Amino acid sequence: MTNTSEVPFHCAVENSTENGVKVTTVRCHGRLINQTAGEVKEIVKPLIPQGGRIVIDLAEVTFLDSLGLGTLVGLKVSAINEGYCTLKLQNLSPRIQELLKLTSLTNLFAS
């Protein structure tokens, strides 16, 4: 049975400038899982070549599965490899922090 009171997954994008650097904040809401990870990728991937700083805010993410985590890792690696921007995660729940620790990904997202 599905929990109908849960908000459907969606992302909101906000653009700003801090100290002359373009900052794009992607605020994710809901469950970042197999069925929704593609939405994050479609939003963030085109931002990487534009440069600046990308912040993925996970404050409202209620659940993260392996494909959601894999999508975040792929985006971070793309940002590192292309070298145009930095990509950071922010507002991680204790559960997501523990998941990063268990998968030895804490250092990847700390850089």
Side-chain angles (χ1 to χ4, degrees):
M1 184 166 178
T2 315
N3 181 358
T4 55
S5 65
E6 188 161 328
V7 176
F9 183 82
H10 65 283
C11 295
V13 179
E14 300 170 9
N15 294 303
S16 62
T17 304
E18 290 179 15
N19 300 321
V21 176
K22 176 185 171 193
V23 179
T24 304
T25 302
V26 180
R27 297 188 194 286
C28 299
H29 305 270
R31 296 168 56 91
L32 181 46
I33 56 173
N34 180 27
Q35 296 86 347
T36 60
E39 185 177 336
V40 176
K41 187 175 181 179
E42 287 176 18
I43 291 169
V44 176
K45 190 82 169 169
L47 298 172
I48 293 172
Q50 296 176 20
R53 205 171 78 179
I54 300 170
V55 178
I56 301 177
D57 187 333
L58 301 177
E60 299 295 321
V61 170
T62 57
F63 186 80
L64 178 69
D65 74 0
S66 60
L67 190 62
L69 180 60
T71 298
L72 295 174
V73 169
L75 292 168
K76 177 67 173 182
V77 169
S78 292
I80 291 168
N81 289 341
E82 292 195 30
Y84 299 118
C85 72
T86 60
L87 187 144
K88 300 274 186 196
L89 302 180
Q90 100 178 358
N91 296 323
L92 306 177
S93 69
R95 187 178 182 289
I96 294 174
Q97 288 176 26
E98 183 65 19
L99 183 60
L100 292 177
K101 185 177 174 185
L102 288 171
T103 54
S104 301
L105 292 170
T106 305
N107 287 342
L108 174 67
F109 287 104
S111 62

XYZ file of all heavy atoms in Angstrom:
838
model
N 0.841 -1.187 0.000
C 0.000 0.000 0.000
C 0.886 1.249 0.000
O 1.853 1.342 0.734
C -0.898 -0.026 1.228
C -1.866 1.088 1.268
S -3.105 0.737 2.503
C -4.033 2.196 2.350
N 0.554 2.218 -0.808
C 1.332 3.435 -0.931
C 0.845 4.490 0.051
O -0.355 4.632 0.280
C 1.211 3.998 -2.370
O 1.350 2.933 -3.283
C 2.262 5.032 -2.634
N 1.778 5.240 0.585
C 1.431 6.341 1.473
C 1.030 7.535 0.625
O 1.858 8.200 0.039
C 2.634 6.678 2.366
C 2.326 7.792 3.335
O 1.231 8.357 3.333
N 3.294 8.105 4.182
N -0.263 7.815 0.549
C -0.751 8.888 -0.322
C -0.528 10.268 0.269
O -0.651 11.263 -0.429
C -2.253 8.705 -0.618
O -2.951 8.620 0.629
C -2.489 7.454 -1.441
N -0.167 10.346 1.559
C 0.059 11.659 2.154
C 1.451 12.199 1.822
O 1.733 13.366 2.047
C -0.118 11.594 3.675
O 0.882 10.771 4.235
N 2.314 11.356 1.278
C 3.664 11.807 0.952
C 3.648 12.658 -0.318
O 2.971 12.353 -1.289
C 4.602 10.617 0.765
C 6.027 11.062 0.634
C 7.000 9.945 0.908
O 6.707 9.068 1.721
O 8.075 9.977 0.292
N 4.428 13.718 -0.289
C 4.513 14.635 -1.425
C 5.230 13.938 -2.581
O 6.265 13.304 -2.369
C 5.294 15.904 -1.007
C 5.496 16.837 -2.178
C 4.581 16.607 0.128
N 4.718 14.057 -3.811
C 5.432 13.475 -4.956
C 6.803 14.140 -5.105
O 6.965 15.328 -4.805
C 4.555 13.805 -6.156
C 3.239 14.220 -5.599
C 3.475 14.693 -4.198
N 7.774 13.366 -5.582
C 9.120 13.901 -5.725
C 9.131 15.056 -6.722
O 8.500 14.991 -7.777
C 10.085 12.811 -6.204
C 11.493 13.306 -6.285
C 12.279 13.363 -5.152
C 12.030 13.762 -7.474
C 13.585 13.841 -5.209
C 13.327 14.239 -7.545
C 14.098 14.280 -6.408
N 9.854 16.105 -6.356
C 10.062 17.228 -7.270
C 11.283 18.027 -6.809
O 11.745 17.873 -5.685
C 8.830 18.128 -7.367
C 8.493 18.838 -6.083
N 7.877 18.222 -5.024
C 8.711 20.112 -5.691
C 7.721 19.088 -4.036
N 8.221 20.249 -4.409
N 11.795 18.829 -7.715
C 12.944 19.682 -7.407
C 12.598 21.118 -7.759
O 11.908 21.375 -8.743
C 14.177 19.282 -8.229
S 14.813 17.664 -7.842
N 13.085 22.035 -6.954
C 12.949 23.465 -7.224
C 14.350 24.026 -7.427
O 15.266 23.701 -6.663
C 12.256 24.160 -6.059
N 14.520 24.840 -8.452
C 15.832 25.397 -8.775
C 15.830 26.888 -8.470
O 14.918 27.614 -8.870
C 16.177 25.165 -10.265
C 17.530 25.760 -10.609
C 16.153 23.677 -10.588
N 16.863 27.324 -7.743
C 17.015 28.744 -7.415
C 18.400 29.192 -7.847
O 19.383 28.506 -7.578
C 16.873 28.954 -5.903
C 15.543 28.532 -5.337
C 15.531 28.531 -3.812
O 16.504 29.015 -3.194
O 14.561 28.031 -3.243
N 18.461 30.324 -8.508
C 19.741 30.893 -8.945
C 20.054 32.138 -8.137
O 19.172 32.945 -7.863
C 19.690 31.252 -10.431
C 19.566 30.023 -11.298
O 20.393 29.135 -11.223
N 18.527 29.956 -12.107
N 21.320 32.270 -7.770
C 21.772 33.460 -7.046
C 23.242 33.677 -7.367
O 23.851 32.911 -8.106
C 21.562 33.278 -5.535
O 22.317 32.190 -5.053
N 23.792 34.738 -6.795
C 25.214 35.028 -6.946
C 25.791 35.317 -5.569
O 25.199 36.067 -4.790
C 25.422 36.255 -7.866
O 24.786 36.007 -9.110
C 26.891 36.510 -8.111
N 26.931 34.678 -5.272
C 27.627 34.921 -4.011
C 29.070 35.274 -4.327
O 29.775 34.480 -4.947
C 27.580 33.681 -3.114
C 26.205 33.369 -2.560
C 26.198 32.110 -1.701
O 27.282 31.634 -1.291
O 25.099 31.602 -1.449
N 29.481 36.465 -3.938
C 30.857 36.934 -4.194
C 31.227 36.820 -5.668
O 32.335 36.414 -6.018
C 31.862 36.169 -3.330
C 31.596 36.345 -1.852
O 31.235 37.424 -1.401
N 31.764 35.285 -1.092
N 30.282 37.155 -6.533
C 30.528 37.128 -7.966
C 30.485 35.755 -8.603
O 30.758 35.610 -9.794
N 30.133 34.717 -7.831
C 30.066 33.350 -8.352
C 28.604 32.934 -8.480
O 27.814 33.108 -7.545
C 30.812 32.368 -7.415
C 30.672 30.933 -7.890
C 32.273 32.757 -7.290
N 28.276 32.380 -9.635
C 26.920 31.884 -9.856
C 26.681 30.666 -8.965
O 27.476 29.735 -8.940
C 26.747 31.485 -11.327
C 25.408 30.876 -11.639
C 25.348 30.395 -13.073
C 24.074 29.611 -13.270
N 24.057 28.866 -14.498
N 25.562 30.691 -8.238
C 25.191 29.575 -7.370
C 23.802 29.100 -7.786
O 22.856 29.878 -7.834
C 25.166 29.983 -5.882
C 24.742 28.804 -5.006
C 26.525 30.513 -5.449
N 23.703 27.812 -8.089
C 22.419 27.210 -8.408
C 22.088 26.206 -7.317
O 22.848 25.272 -7.071
C 22.459 26.492 -9.774
O 22.866 27.421 -10.773
C 21.095 25.932 -10.132
N 20.980 26.439 -6.637
C 20.547 25.532 -5.568
C 19.389 24.703 -6.099
O 18.403 25.252 -6.604
C 20.119 26.320 -4.320
O 21.223 27.125 -3.888
C 19.712 25.379 -3.197
N 19.525 23.393 -5.998
C 18.478 22.459 -6.413
C 17.918 21.833 -5.146
O 18.602 21.061 -4.471
C 19.040 21.377 -7.364
C 17.942 20.419 -7.787
C 19.707 22.010 -8.581
N 16.690 22.227 -4.790
C 16.060 21.723 -3.572
C 15.169 20.536 -3.944
O 14.201 20.696 -4.672
C 15.231 22.808 -2.907
C 16.059 23.990 -2.459
C 15.264 24.987 -1.637
N 15.962 26.239 -1.498
C 17.012 26.450 -0.717
N 17.480 25.469 0.014
N 17.590 27.633 -0.653
N 15.541 19.368 -3.418
C 14.808 18.140 -3.719
C 13.801 17.861 -2.609
O 14.096 18.051 -1.432
C 15.775 16.976 -3.861
S 16.971 17.192 -5.190
N 12.634 17.380 -3.005
C 11.548 17.084 -2.066
C 10.989 15.700 -2.373
O 10.693 15.401 -3.530
C 10.414 18.108 -2.202
C 10.861 19.523 -2.054
N 10.883 20.162 -0.848
C 11.319 20.412 -2.968
C 11.334 21.404 -1.026
N 11.607 21.574 -2.297
N 10.861 14.866 -1.343
C 10.269 13.544 -1.527
C 11.303 12.440 -1.503
O 12.354 12.558 -0.892
N 10.989 11.341 -2.192
C 11.831 10.146 -2.198
C 12.733 10.153 -3.431
O 12.238 10.113 -4.551
C 10.952 8.895 -2.191
C 10.134 8.770 -0.916
C 9.047 7.715 -1.015
N 9.537 6.405 -1.381
C 9.924 5.465 -0.516
N 9.866 5.699 0.785
N 10.353 4.293 -0.941
N 14.039 10.179 -3.204
C 15.015 10.147 -4.302
C 15.363 8.674 -4.528
O 16.247 8.114 -3.885
C 16.250 10.977 -3.946
C 17.372 11.078 -4.975
C 16.852 11.375 -6.370
C 18.370 12.131 -4.552
N 14.604 8.062 -5.428
C 14.689 6.616 -5.641
C 14.767 6.307 -7.134
O 14.801 7.213 -7.967
C 13.471 5.900 -5.013
C 12.158 6.468 -5.572
C 13.501 6.024 -3.491
C 10.915 5.730 -5.147
N 14.782 5.023 -7.444
C 14.878 4.530 -8.809
C 13.979 5.303 -9.782
O 14.425 5.739 -10.835
C 14.528 3.033 -8.804
C 14.593 2.394 -10.157
O 15.319 2.833 -11.036
N 13.825 1.337 -10.323
N 12.722 5.488 -9.420
C 11.762 6.129 -10.319
C 11.926 7.639 -10.428
O 11.379 8.248 -11.340
C 10.320 5.820 -9.869
C 9.960 4.357 -9.935
C 10.349 3.568 -8.690
O 11.111 4.027 -7.835
N 9.854 2.343 -8.593
N 12.657 8.263 -9.507
C 12.742 9.728 -9.505
C 14.155 10.268 -9.740
O 14.320 11.459 -9.972
C 12.219 10.294 -8.167
O 13.013 9.785 -7.096
C 10.760 9.924 -7.947
N 15.158 9.408 -9.688
C 16.548 9.861 -9.811
C 16.813 10.543 -11.147
O 17.611 11.482 -11.230
C 17.499 8.687 -9.604
N 16.137 10.095 -12.202
C 16.327 10.693 -13.516
C 15.974 12.171 -13.545
O 16.583 12.951 -14.281
N 15.006 12.570 -12.737
C 14.602 13.985 -12.688
C 15.742 14.863 -12.180
O 16.012 15.931 -12.727
C 13.367 14.148 -11.795
C 12.821 15.558 -11.783
C 11.554 15.706 -10.969
O 10.823 14.721 -10.779
O 11.292 16.836 -10.523
N 16.430 14.399 -11.135
C 17.573 15.155 -10.598
C 18.662 15.249 -11.659
O 19.232 16.320 -11.890
C 18.122 14.497 -9.315
C 19.352 15.227 -8.817
C 17.055 14.446 -8.249
N 18.942 14.136 -12.316
C 19.984 14.110 -13.341
C 19.643 15.066 -14.489
O 20.499 15.810 -14.959
C 20.167 12.688 -13.867
C 21.336 12.534 -14.803
C 21.537 11.081 -15.180
C 22.728 10.933 -16.094
N 22.953 9.530 -16.455
N 18.384 15.063 -14.939
C 17.957 15.943 -16.031
C 18.103 17.415 -15.669
O 18.374 18.249 -16.531
C 16.501 15.661 -16.406
C 16.301 14.372 -17.159
C 14.836 14.069 -17.423
O 13.994 15.001 -17.340
O 14.524 12.897 -17.699
N 17.919 17.748 -14.406
C 18.026 19.135 -13.959
C 19.488 19.539 -13.780
O 19.915 20.601 -14.235
C 17.247 19.345 -12.636
C 15.746 19.225 -12.899
C 17.584 20.689 -12.009
C 14.901 19.156 -11.644
N 20.288 18.700 -13.117
C 21.644 19.081 -12.709
C 22.669 18.920 -13.836
O 23.546 19.773 -13.993
C 22.070 18.301 -11.452
C 23.509 18.621 -11.067
C 21.123 18.602 -10.290
N 22.586 17.863 -14.603
C 23.611 17.578 -15.624
C 23.858 18.765 -16.563
O 25.010 19.127 -16.801
C 23.210 16.324 -16.406
C 24.273 15.795 -17.316
C 25.261 14.941 -16.572
C 26.150 14.226 -17.568
N 27.277 13.599 -16.938
N 22.817 19.428 -17.095
C 23.069 20.575 -17.978
C 23.668 21.793 -17.268
O 24.216 22.685 -17.910
C 21.691 20.930 -18.535
C 20.803 19.785 -18.228
C 21.407 19.080 -17.055
N 23.571 21.837 -15.938
C 24.119 22.963 -15.176
C 25.636 22.882 -15.048
O 26.309 23.895 -14.891
C 23.500 23.012 -13.775
C 21.991 23.213 -13.689
C 21.524 23.041 -12.251
C 21.598 24.565 -14.236
N 26.186 21.678 -15.108
C 27.617 21.472 -14.851
C 28.500 22.269 -15.811
O 29.398 22.982 -15.362
C 27.954 19.964 -14.828
C 27.273 19.323 -13.606
C 29.458 19.728 -14.817
C 27.350 17.810 -13.560
N 28.276 22.218 -17.136
C 29.147 22.988 -18.038
C 28.996 24.507 -17.902
O 29.841 25.256 -18.378
C 28.731 22.537 -19.431
C 27.847 21.367 -19.265
C 27.358 21.363 -17.859
N 27.931 24.958 -17.228
C 27.718 26.401 -17.061
C 28.633 26.993 -16.000
O 28.763 28.210 -15.903
C 26.261 26.677 -16.705
C 25.291 26.298 -17.804
C 23.852 26.493 -17.384
O 23.549 27.234 -16.447
N 22.946 25.827 -18.078
N 29.252 26.141 -15.193
C 30.191 26.612 -14.186
C 29.515 27.132 -12.937
O 28.304 27.047 -12.771
N 30.325 27.660 -12.047
C 29.817 28.185 -10.784
C 29.740 27.105 -9.726
O 30.534 26.171 -9.702
N 28.752 27.246 -8.868
C 28.573 26.309 -7.767
C 27.167 25.734 -7.822
O 26.204 26.484 -7.987
C 28.782 27.043 -6.449
C 29.215 26.141 -5.326
C 29.600 26.946 -4.136
N 28.346 27.360 -3.496
C 28.270 28.087 -2.393
N 29.337 28.510 -1.817
N 27.114 28.392 -1.880
N 27.065 24.426 -7.687
C 25.771 23.754 -7.642
C 25.616 23.165 -6.248
O 26.501 22.466 -5.758
C 25.667 22.638 -8.701
C 25.853 23.209 -10.104
C 24.323 21.916 -8.582
C 26.011 22.159 -11.191
N 24.498 23.472 -5.617
C 24.199 22.953 -4.289
C 22.929 22.113 -4.412
O 21.896 22.607 -4.865
C 23.972 24.094 -3.274
C 23.602 23.531 -1.908
C 25.204 24.982 -3.183
N 23.038 20.845 -4.031
C 21.855 19.984 -4.011
C 21.406 19.880 -2.564
O 22.112 19.332 -1.715
C 22.146 18.598 -4.612
C 22.625 18.755 -6.064
C 20.895 17.715 -4.539
C 23.009 17.454 -6.743
N 20.247 20.474 -2.282
C 19.708 20.544 -0.928
C 18.786 19.337 -0.706
O 17.767 19.198 -1.372
C 18.939 21.854 -0.762
C 18.485 22.092 0.661
O 18.283 21.116 1.410
O 18.311 23.268 1.027
N 19.176 18.491 0.243
C 18.427 17.263 0.504
C 17.594 17.340 1.786
O 17.167 16.311 2.314
C 19.398 16.079 0.568
C 20.238 15.843 -0.689
C 21.216 14.698 -0.471
C 19.355 15.573 -1.893
N 17.331 18.544 2.285
C 16.605 18.714 3.549
C 15.230 18.044 3.513
O 14.777 17.501 4.517
C 16.453 20.195 3.889
N 14.583 18.077 2.366
C 13.226 17.538 2.260
C 13.178 16.162 1.604
O 12.104 15.696 1.218
C 12.345 18.522 1.476
C 12.200 19.885 2.126
C 11.469 19.831 3.458
O 10.500 19.055 3.583
O 11.873 20.565 4.382
N 14.346 15.510 1.470
C 14.366 14.149 0.912
C 14.049 13.182 2.049
O 14.736 13.149 3.063
C 15.726 13.826 0.251
C 15.837 12.354 -0.104
C 15.904 14.686 -0.992
N 12.981 12.402 1.858
C 12.514 11.500 2.911
C 13.120 10.108 2.816
O 13.097 9.358 3.778
C 10.982 11.384 2.877
O 10.582 10.937 1.568
C 10.328 12.736 3.176
N 13.678 9.763 1.641
C 14.276 8.444 1.459
C 15.229 8.504 0.276
O 14.963 9.205 -0.700
C 13.186 7.396 1.198
C 13.712 5.988 1.146
C 13.985 5.291 2.311
C 13.935 5.371 -0.074
C 14.477 3.993 2.256
C 14.417 4.077 -0.134
C 14.693 3.381 1.036
N 16.335 7.783 0.374
C 17.330 7.729 -0.695
C 17.705 6.274 -0.909
O 18.144 5.616 0.032
C 18.566 8.548 -0.289
C 19.744 8.582 -1.246
C 19.398 9.357 -2.515
C 20.955 9.200 -0.580
N 17.509 5.758 -2.139
C 17.908 4.379 -2.405
C 19.216 4.352 -3.182
O 19.843 5.384 -3.411
C 16.791 3.598 -3.108
C 16.597 3.945 -4.581
O 17.327 4.807 -5.124
O 15.698 3.345 -5.209
N 19.645 3.149 -3.571
C 20.954 3.006 -4.218
C 21.019 3.741 -5.554
O 22.059 4.314 -5.885
C 21.303 1.536 -4.398
O 20.331 0.883 -5.198
N 19.952 3.763 -6.325
C 19.996 4.476 -7.604
C 20.020 5.988 -7.374
O 20.712 6.717 -8.086
C 18.818 4.106 -8.508
C 18.951 4.634 -9.930
C 20.174 4.064 -10.629
C 17.728 4.335 -10.742
N 19.304 6.458 -6.368
C 19.379 7.878 -6.024
C 20.785 8.265 -5.612
O 21.319 9.285 -6.049
N 21.403 7.427 -4.791
C 22.780 7.677 -4.370
C 23.721 7.621 -5.566
O 24.594 8.470 -5.722
C 23.197 6.661 -3.305
C 24.612 6.803 -2.760
C 24.820 8.171 -2.114
C 24.897 5.683 -1.761
N 23.528 6.631 -6.421
C 24.357 6.506 -7.624
C 24.244 7.710 -8.527
O 25.235 8.146 -9.131
N 23.059 8.275 -8.623
C 22.852 9.479 -9.432
C 23.633 10.649 -8.855
O 24.298 11.386 -9.588
C 21.349 9.814 -9.516
O 20.686 8.721 -10.162
C 21.099 11.102 -10.280
N 23.588 10.821 -7.536
C 24.338 11.903 -6.896
C 25.837 11.718 -7.101
O 26.555 12.681 -7.384
C 24.008 11.972 -5.402
C 22.563 12.348 -5.050
C 22.337 12.236 -3.547
C 22.215 13.730 -5.563
N 26.312 10.475 -6.992
C 27.735 10.191 -7.207
C 28.111 10.520 -8.652
O 29.138 11.158 -8.912
C 28.071 8.722 -6.873
C 29.468 8.352 -7.355
C 27.941 8.473 -5.374
N 27.296 10.095 -9.603
C 27.571 10.368 -11.014
C 27.644 11.853 -11.311
O 28.516 12.311 -12.067
N 26.747 12.626 -10.718
C 26.760 14.077 -10.925
C 28.006 14.703 -10.317
O 28.629 15.580 -10.918
C 25.490 14.703 -10.350
C 24.200 14.347 -11.082
C 22.983 14.771 -10.268
C 24.168 14.965 -12.475
N 28.389 14.232 -9.129
C 29.595 14.760 -8.473
C 30.831 14.447 -9.314
O 31.680 15.322 -9.537
C 29.730 14.147 -7.066
C 30.987 14.564 -6.330
C 30.996 16.035 -5.961
C 32.200 16.354 -5.090
N 32.234 17.748 -4.663
N 30.939 13.223 -9.812
C 32.080 12.830 -10.636
C 32.108 13.641 -11.931
O 33.171 14.094 -12.368
C 32.057 11.305 -10.910
C 33.066 10.910 -11.968
C 32.306 10.537 -9.613
N 30.945 13.873 -12.535
C 30.885 14.704 -13.747
C 31.378 16.113 -13.469
O 32.118 16.691 -14.255
C 29.454 14.774 -14.292
O 29.052 13.527 -14.794
N 30.962 16.674 -12.328
C 31.403 18.025 -11.966
C 32.911 18.074 -11.770
O 33.576 19.010 -12.215
C 30.679 18.491 -10.703
N 33.466 17.054 -11.131
C 34.922 17.001 -10.911
C 35.644 16.859 -12.245
O 36.612 17.573 -12.516
C 35.286 15.831 -9.964
C 34.784 16.116 -8.545
C 36.792 15.581 -9.967
C 34.845 14.918 -7.610
N 35.189 15.931 -13.080
C 35.863 15.648 -14.346
C 35.804 16.816 -15.320
O 36.763 17.084 -16.035
C 35.296 14.397 -15.003
C 35.689 13.135 -14.275
O 36.634 13.117 -13.495
N 34.958 12.065 -14.515
N 34.662 17.506 -15.368
C 34.540 18.634 -16.293
C 35.256 19.872 -15.774
O 35.676 20.711 -16.554
C 33.067 18.914 -16.609
C 32.452 17.781 -17.425
C 31.143 18.145 -18.060
O 30.942 19.328 -18.386
O 30.323 17.240 -18.238
N 35.373 20.001 -14.461
C 36.158 21.068 -13.868
C 35.575 22.461 -13.962
O 36.232 23.430 -13.595
N 34.344 22.596 -14.417
C 33.733 23.921 -14.577
C 33.067 24.425 -13.303
O 32.824 25.604 -13.159
C 32.672 23.908 -15.676
C 33.188 23.556 -17.033
C 32.719 22.429 -17.693
C 34.135 24.348 -17.667
C 33.187 22.099 -18.958
C 34.606 24.024 -18.926
C 34.123 22.899 -19.562
O 34.588 22.575 -20.803
N 32.705 23.501 -12.415
C 31.920 23.917 -11.262
C 32.238 23.038 -10.065
O 32.927 22.026 -10.175
C 30.425 23.826 -11.580
S 29.803 22.150 -11.670
N 31.709 23.437 -8.922
C 31.745 22.590 -7.739
C 30.323 22.133 -7.470
O 29.359 22.853 -7.762
C 32.288 23.348 -6.506
O 31.446 24.474 -6.242
C 33.720 23.801 -6.721
N 30.194 20.945 -6.939
C 28.885 20.401 -6.608
C 28.929 19.933 -5.168
O 29.803 19.155 -4.789
C 28.539 19.232 -7.542
C 27.118 18.686 -7.390
C 26.577 18.272 -8.745
C 27.061 17.530 -6.424
N 28.026 20.449 -4.366
C 27.969 20.122 -2.942
C 26.577 19.626 -2.583
O 25.585 20.049 -3.187
C 28.256 21.361 -2.083
C 29.608 21.982 -2.299
C 30.636 21.330 -1.446
C 31.961 22.072 -1.584
N 33.057 21.308 -1.100
N 26.525 18.759 -1.583
C 25.262 18.347 -0.990
C 25.099 19.135 0.303
O 26.074 19.393 1.000
C 25.270 16.852 -0.677
C 25.513 15.892 -1.831
C 25.477 14.446 -1.331
C 24.514 16.098 -2.949
N 23.863 19.501 0.606
C 23.639 20.233 1.858
C 22.382 19.716 2.532
O 21.514 19.127 1.892
C 23.602 21.735 1.593
C 22.292 22.390 1.516
C 22.402 23.902 1.298
O 23.472 24.492 1.237
N 21.269 24.530 1.157
N 22.314 19.951 3.834
C 21.175 19.558 4.664
C 20.891 18.058 4.587
O 19.770 17.633 4.323
C 19.922 20.370 4.312
C 20.096 21.834 4.604
O 20.720 22.209 5.586
N 19.575 22.678 3.729
N 21.928 17.273 4.832
C 21.788 15.822 4.813
C 21.181 15.343 6.128
O 21.626 15.747 7.202
C 23.155 15.154 4.637
C 23.985 15.595 3.435
C 25.336 14.898 3.447
C 23.256 15.311 2.148
N 20.205 14.471 6.029
C 19.620 13.885 7.237
C 20.649 12.941 7.860
O 21.583 12.488 7.188
C 18.358 13.096 6.875
O 18.713 11.928 6.138
N 20.493 12.629 9.139
C 21.414 11.667 9.766
C 21.450 10.333 9.007
O 22.495 9.714 8.883
C 20.856 11.496 11.179
C 20.145 12.788 11.453
C 19.574 13.211 10.122
N 20.315 9.912 8.482
C 20.257 8.653 7.737
C 21.097 8.730 6.461
O 21.821 7.799 6.120
C 18.801 8.314 7.399
C 18.648 6.958 6.771
C 17.171 6.645 6.497
N 17.015 5.335 5.945
C 17.373 4.990 4.713
N 17.915 5.858 3.911
N 17.194 3.757 4.269
N 20.995 9.829 5.729
C 21.784 9.986 4.504
C 23.262 10.125 4.844
O 24.116 9.565 4.160
C 21.263 11.162 3.654
C 19.862 10.844 3.127
C 22.215 11.469 2.495
C 19.179 11.982 2.381
N 23.589 10.834 5.912
C 24.986 10.937 6.345
C 25.543 9.558 6.656
O 26.678 9.229 6.279
C 25.097 11.834 7.586
C 24.867 13.296 7.293
C 24.889 14.136 8.557
O 25.512 13.788 9.553
N 24.201 15.264 8.530
N 24.759 8.729 7.325
C 25.196 7.375 7.658
C 25.365 6.541 6.387
O 26.308 5.762 6.270
C 24.184 6.709 8.613
C 24.584 5.332 9.074
C 25.845 5.302 9.931
O 26.246 6.333 10.488
O 26.439 4.212 10.045
N 24.478 6.702 5.427
C 24.582 5.986 4.153
C 25.877 6.358 3.433
O 26.580 5.492 2.913
C 23.366 6.302 3.278
C 23.276 5.597 1.937
C 23.239 4.084 2.101
C 22.041 6.074 1.180
N 26.223 7.643 3.415
C 27.481 8.080 2.791
C 28.683 7.478 3.519
O 29.663 7.065 2.895
C 27.579 9.603 2.765
C 26.598 10.338 1.863
C 26.770 11.838 2.011
C 26.752 9.913 0.420
N 28.585 7.422 4.838
C 29.674 6.851 5.631
C 29.822 5.359 5.348
O 30.929 4.867 5.126
C 29.391 7.104 7.120
C 30.497 6.667 8.042
C 30.130 7.034 9.479
C 31.144 6.488 10.448
N 30.748 6.736 11.838
N 28.715 4.625 5.343
C 28.747 3.174 5.110
C 29.272 2.817 3.726
O 29.870 1.761 3.538
C 27.349 2.577 5.284
C 26.820 2.499 6.710
C 25.349 2.086 6.715
C 27.646 1.521 7.533
N 29.031 3.693 2.754
C 29.465 3.435 1.385
C 30.800 4.105 1.072
O 31.216 4.136 -0.079
C 28.389 3.912 0.385
O 28.081 5.284 0.642
C 27.130 3.069 0.494
N 31.452 4.642 2.084
C 32.758 5.317 1.950
C 32.722 6.464 0.935
O 33.678 6.691 0.215
C 33.843 4.296 1.543
O 33.941 3.279 2.511
N 31.606 7.184 0.909
C 31.464 8.315 -0.028
C 31.533 9.663 0.671
O 31.450 10.698 0.013
C 30.127 8.190 -0.776
C 30.046 7.015 -1.746
C 28.620 6.830 -2.238
C 31.009 7.207 -2.912
N 31.727 9.675 1.970
C 31.784 10.937 2.706
C 32.867 11.854 2.149
O 32.632 13.045 1.928
C 32.025 10.669 4.206
O 31.003 9.782 4.668
C 31.975 11.949 5.002
N 34.056 11.313 1.890
C 35.161 12.134 1.393
C 34.896 12.670 0.001
O 35.305 13.782 -0.328
C 36.474 11.356 1.416
C 36.999 11.178 2.824
O 36.594 11.887 3.745
N 37.884 10.220 3.013
N 34.237 11.886 -0.850
C 33.928 12.362 -2.206
C 33.084 13.626 -2.130
O 33.366 14.604 -2.823
C 33.177 11.286 -2.994
C 32.681 11.716 -4.382
C 33.863 11.965 -5.319
C 31.731 10.683 -4.952
N 32.078 13.622 -1.283
C 31.180 14.780 -1.207
C 31.722 15.889 -0.316
O 31.204 16.995 -0.330
C 29.785 14.346 -0.771
C 29.056 13.613 -1.853
C 28.915 12.242 -1.814
C 28.536 14.297 -2.932
C 28.265 11.558 -2.831
C 27.889 13.627 -3.956
C 27.745 12.256 -3.896
N 32.784 15.616 0.425
C 33.413 16.662 1.243
C 34.316 17.560 0.405
O 34.627 18.663 0.803
C 34.211 16.031 2.373
N 34.725 17.078 -0.770
C 35.657 17.859 -1.609
C 34.926 18.838 -2.495
O 33.770 18.726 -2.761
C 36.494 16.927 -2.471
O 35.689 16.178 -3.352
